[in-house]
Amino acid sequence: VITVITHNRKFLMLHRHKEPFYNHWGFHGGKLRAANYILDQAAKSILNQTGLQCDVELKGLFSSKSFIENIFAYNHQLFIVKASKPKEKLLSETKVGKNKWMTLDEIKNTNILPNIPHLIEIAIGKKFRWIEADRFQENNMFKEMKILRDVNP
């Protein structure tokens, strides 16, 4: 479950302190636990990783396979949840990484995961959307992402 947290035309980004994707900027989230529904998991992940409470809405799916040095490494099936109207005090850092509010321009000029622009499009879009993509990483850097399917662009 990936949460795209928005407030005042900014997005809350996470500078990852762990693998996978160490040292990249991405969004908050967590594995869907057996005892939780999607939106419950999103709310718990947001609270644990940011200290915030937000309104949450399921906006779409992002399915991707990641290849490192052309060898299959990860298969991620992400439920994209838009989180808005944050309340409480933001934690600046947790064991997962460092939190920072960023504008779209700041995000574009940061070491982000290649799917971040697509996750933002899904979160702020009006229709439920599903994207499938392959991501390619070499020397710990993403070199390419191929969109294989984009439903309801």
Side-chain angles (χ1 to χ4, degrees), residues 18 21 26-27 36 45-46 51 63-64 75 78 80 94-95 99 108 123 125 128 130 132-133 152:
K18 66 177 202 164
F21 316 125
F27 291 120
N36 293 335
S45 293
I46 292 167
S63 303
S64 67
N75 185 339
L78 308 175
I80 310 307
T94 67
K95 66 180 180 180
N99 295 316
K108 290 176 186 173
F128 191 88
W130 172 38
E132 279 186 340
N152 284 331

Side-chain angles (χ1 to χ4, degrees), residues 58-87:
L58 181 62
K59 298 294 290 187
L61 302 170
F62 188 91
S63 303
S64 67
K65 292 180 183 177
S66 294
F67 297 84
I68 300 174
E69 313 299 339
N70 288 320
I71 298 170
F72 174 75
Y74 302 104
N75 185 339
H76 289 103
Q77 306 302 316
L78 308 175
F79 294 100
I80 310 307
V81 173
K82 179 182 178 184
S84 58
K85 300 178 186 169
K87 301 168 198 70

